[in-house]
Amino acid sequence: MALLAAGGFVVAGCSAPGPEEVTFFADGKTVNVGPLASCDIKSAQCTTRPDAAGKLRIRPGKPVQISVPSAIAETPWKVTVQYVNGKGEPQELKQDIITSLDRFAYTVTTPRPDDQILVVEVAQASVLSRTGRPEDAEAVTTAIWSLQVEPPAA
């Protein structure tokens, strides 16, 4: 399964923001996931851990609940979802950007009960301006967490 590329946020030259983990809960199972990639904007250092993706076996139509720690909730963050319909056809990515700076949870649902979620990613952002002017500010991805869904055995 391919990983999603935190589209919608510009990716920064990427050290880890710390051992922050995102918790994914679905279909009676939970997994805590460290970042796949994290970036220290000040030093422009990046750390990648391609093996950090969490995995859960989830039945079609089941929601995925996401819980983030305060270090993520207090920044802008984005949820991106890749899923297929009941016929196995890829559907348009679902994305939601959370900017309230106080939201610690999010629930991913699909439009139809036979849709199968494949990948859920959380991207944390920092807002930067190269000129110092607010109108020039842009969101820069500083870390990405990923859940890879394993469909149930037939």
Side-chain angles (χ1 to χ4, degrees):
M1 248 178 268
L3 297 178
L4 301 175
F9 288 149
V10 176
V11 178
C14 289
S15 195
E20 299 295 340
E21 292 184 335
V22 170
T23 301
F24 295 95
F25 174 81
D27 213 0
K29 299 172 227 46
T30 302
V31 65
N32 294 325
V33 178
L36 284 176
S38 56
C39 306
D40 182 331
I41 294 174
K42 293 177 185 169
S43 68
Q45 296 293 313
C46 294
T47 302
T48 59
R49 295 178 42 228
D51 61 336
K55 291 184 170 72
L56 286 177
R57 189 170 303 277
I58 303 172
R59 293 174 288 164
K62 294 296 181 181
V64 175
Q65 296 173 324
I66 303 167
S67 177
V68 301
S70 60
I72 297 169
E74 294 170 354
T75 66
W77 54 290
K78 179 175 71 170
V79 176
T80 303
V81 181
Q82 178 183 4
Y83 68 102
V84 295
N85 65 17
K87 297 176 184 176
E89 300 165 333
Q91 301 298 295
E92 186 174 332
L93 293 178
K94 288 178 60 174
Q95 297 185 337
D96 197 4
I97 297 174
I98 293 90
T99 58
S100 64
L101 307 182
D102 65 353
R103 187 164 172 189
F104 293 83
Y106 185 92
T107 301
V108 174
T109 59
T110 57
R112 290 170 299 282
D114 61 344
D115 291 340
Q116 176 69 61
I117 295 172
L118 301 176
V119 179
V120 179
E121 286 192 348
V122 172
Q124 180 183 30
S126 291
V127 179
L128 300 176
S129 172
R130 296 184 200 281
T131 64
R133 297 190 324 248
E135 63 270 13
D136 295 329
E138 63 181 318
V140 178
T141 300
T142 52
I144 299 171
W145 295 260
S146 183
L147 173 68
Q148 307 291 305
V149 173
E150 298 173 344

Short mmCIF file of all heavy atoms in Angstrom, two decimals, residues 5 17 29 37 40 43-44 47 66 75 81 85 98 112 115 119 124 126 135 137 149 154:
data_model
loop_
_atom_site.label_atom_id
_atom_site.label_comp_id
_atom_site.label_asym_id
_atom_site.label_seq_id
_atom_site.Cartn_x
_atom_site.Cartn_y
_atom_site.Cartn_z
N ALA A 5 1.05 11.38 0.58
CA ALA A 5 2.02 12.45 0.73
C ALA A 5 1.33 13.68 1.25
O ALA A 5 0.84 14.45 0.53
CB ALA A 5 2.68 12.75 -0.61
N PRO A 17 10.15 15.82 16.51
CA PRO A 17 9.57 16.72 17.48
C PRO A 17 9.50 16.09 18.86
O PRO A 17 9.05 16.71 19.79
CB PRO A 17 8.17 16.98 16.92
CG PRO A 17 7.86 15.76 16.13
CD PRO A 17 9.17 15.28 15.59
N LYS A 29 -9.67 -2.48 18.17
CA LYS A 29 -8.21 -2.58 18.30
C LYS A 29 -7.59 -1.19 18.34
O LYS A 29 -8.12 -0.24 17.79
CB LYS A 29 -7.64 -3.37 17.13
CG LYS A 29 -8.15 -4.80 17.03
CD LYS A 29 -7.68 -5.42 15.74
CE LYS A 29 -8.70 -6.14 14.94
NZ LYS A 29 -9.97 -5.64 14.66
N ALA A 37 7.97 10.50 9.58
CA ALA A 37 8.94 11.53 9.26
C ALA A 37 8.69 12.71 10.18
O ALA A 37 7.54 13.01 10.50
CB ALA A 37 8.81 11.98 7.80
N ASP A 40 12.75 19.30 12.08
CA ASP A 40 13.04 20.43 12.95
C ASP A 40 13.25 21.63 12.02
O ASP A 40 14.24 21.69 11.29
CB ASP A 40 14.29 20.17 13.79
CG ASP A 40 14.60 21.30 14.74
OD1 ASP A 40 14.27 22.47 14.43
OD2 ASP A 40 15.20 21.03 15.79
N SER A 43 16.62 23.81 12.48
CA SER A 43 17.88 23.23 12.01
C SER A 43 17.78 22.62 10.62
O SER A 43 18.79 22.23 10.05
CB SER A 43 18.36 22.15 12.99
OG SER A 43 17.49 21.03 12.95
N ALA A 44 16.57 22.53 10.09
CA ALA A 44 16.32 21.90 8.79
C ALA A 44 16.79 20.45 8.77
O ALA A 44 17.19 19.93 7.75
CB ALA A 44 16.96 22.71 7.66
N THR A 47 14.20 13.45 10.20
CA THR A 47 14.35 12.05 10.59
C THR A 47 13.21 11.29 9.92
O THR A 47 12.06 11.72 9.98
CB THR A 47 14.23 11.89 12.12
OG1 THR A 47 15.24 12.69 12.74
CG2 THR A 47 14.41 10.44 12.54
N ILE A 66 -9.01 8.79 15.98
CA ILE A 66 -7.64 9.27 16.13
C ILE A 66 -7.57 10.11 17.39
O ILE A 66 -8.43 10.96 17.62
CB ILE A 66 -7.23 10.15 14.92
CG1 ILE A 66 -7.38 9.37 13.61
CG2 ILE A 66 -5.82 10.68 15.10
CD1 ILE A 66 -7.29 10.24 12.38
N THR A 75 -1.32 22.69 17.47
CA THR A 75 -0.82 23.19 16.19
C THR A 75 -1.86 22.84 15.12
O THR A 75 -2.74 22.02 15.36
CB THR A 75 0.52 22.50 15.80
OG1 THR A 75 0.27 21.11 15.57
CG2 THR A 75 1.58 22.68 16.88
N VAL A 81 -7.32 10.58 4.25
CA VAL A 81 -7.83 9.21 4.23
C VAL A 81 -7.90 8.71 2.80
O VAL A 81 -8.44 9.38 1.92
CB VAL A 81 -9.25 9.14 4.85
CG1 VAL A 81 -9.77 7.71 4.86
CG2 VAL A 81 -9.26 9.74 6.24
N ASN A 85 -14.24 1.80 -2.57
CA ASN A 85 -15.66 1.47 -2.39
C ASN A 85 -15.82 -0.05 -2.31
O ASN A 85 -14.84 -0.79 -2.35
CB ASN A 85 -16.51 2.10 -3.49
CG ASN A 85 -16.21 1.54 -4.87
OD1 ASN A 85 -15.60 0.49 -5.04
ND2 ASN A 85 -16.64 2.26 -5.89
N ILE A 98 -7.42 20.68 10.63
CA ILE A 98 -7.91 21.09 11.94
C ILE A 98 -7.04 22.25 12.42
O ILE A 98 -5.83 22.11 12.57
CB ILE A 98 -7.85 19.92 12.96
CG1 ILE A 98 -8.84 18.81 12.56
CG2 ILE A 98 -8.19 20.39 14.36
CD1 ILE A 98 -8.32 17.79 11.67
N ARG A 112 -20.15 5.24 2.62
CA ARG A 112 -21.03 4.07 2.51
C ARG A 112 -20.54 2.94 3.42
O ARG A 112 -19.35 2.80 3.66
CB ARG A 112 -21.08 3.60 1.06
CG ARG A 112 -21.83 4.59 0.15
CD ARG A 112 -21.68 4.25 -1.32
NE ARG A 112 -20.31 4.29 -1.81
CZ ARG A 112 -19.62 5.41 -2.10
NH1 ARG A 112 -20.19 6.59 -1.94
NH2 ARG A 112 -18.39 5.35 -2.54
N ASP A 115 -17.58 0.70 2.16
CA ASP A 115 -16.29 1.31 1.85
C ASP A 115 -15.22 0.76 2.80
O ASP A 115 -15.48 0.52 3.97
CB ASP A 115 -16.34 2.83 2.01
CG ASP A 115 -17.22 3.51 0.96
OD1 ASP A 115 -17.47 2.92 -0.10
OD2 ASP A 115 -17.63 4.66 1.22
N VAL A 119 -5.72 3.72 4.20
CA VAL A 119 -4.65 4.47 4.85
C VAL A 119 -5.26 5.69 5.52
O VAL A 119 -6.12 6.36 4.95
CB VAL A 119 -3.58 4.96 3.83
CG1 VAL A 119 -2.48 5.76 4.51
CG2 VAL A 119 -2.99 3.79 3.05
N GLN A 124 1.25 17.02 11.02
CA GLN A 124 1.34 18.20 11.89
C GLN A 124 2.01 19.32 11.11
O GLN A 124 2.91 19.08 10.32
CB GLN A 124 2.16 17.87 13.13
CG GLN A 124 2.30 19.03 14.09
CD GLN A 124 3.18 18.66 15.28
OE1 GLN A 124 4.08 17.85 15.17
NE2 GLN A 124 2.91 19.29 16.40
N SER A 126 3.49 23.54 11.07
CA SER A 126 3.86 24.81 11.69
C SER A 126 3.57 25.88 10.64
O SER A 126 3.64 25.61 9.45
CB SER A 126 5.35 24.85 12.04
OG SER A 126 5.63 23.96 13.09
N GLU A 135 0.45 37.75 5.76
CA GLU A 135 -0.12 37.39 4.46
C GLU A 135 0.80 36.46 3.65
O GLU A 135 0.37 35.85 2.68
CB GLU A 135 -0.49 38.63 3.64
CG GLU A 135 0.68 39.52 3.27
CD GLU A 135 0.99 40.61 4.31
OE1 GLU A 135 0.46 40.55 5.43
OE2 GLU A 135 1.77 41.51 3.98
N ALA A 137 2.38 33.90 5.17
CA ALA A 137 2.52 32.68 5.97
C ALA A 137 2.00 31.47 5.19
O ALA A 137 1.07 31.57 4.39
CB ALA A 137 1.76 32.81 7.28
N VAL A 149 -4.13 0.12 6.85
CA VAL A 149 -5.22 -0.79 7.20
C VAL A 149 -5.06 -2.10 6.44
O VAL A 149 -4.82 -2.10 5.23
CB VAL A 149 -6.58 -0.15 6.89
CG1 VAL A 149 -7.72 -1.16 7.09
CG2 VAL A 149 -6.78 1.08 7.77
N ALA A 154 -10.41 -13.04 4.11
CA ALA A 154 -11.65 -13.51 3.45
C ALA A 154 -12.14 -14.81 4.03
O ALA A 154 -11.50 -15.58 4.58
CB ALA A 154 -11.41 -13.66 1.96
#
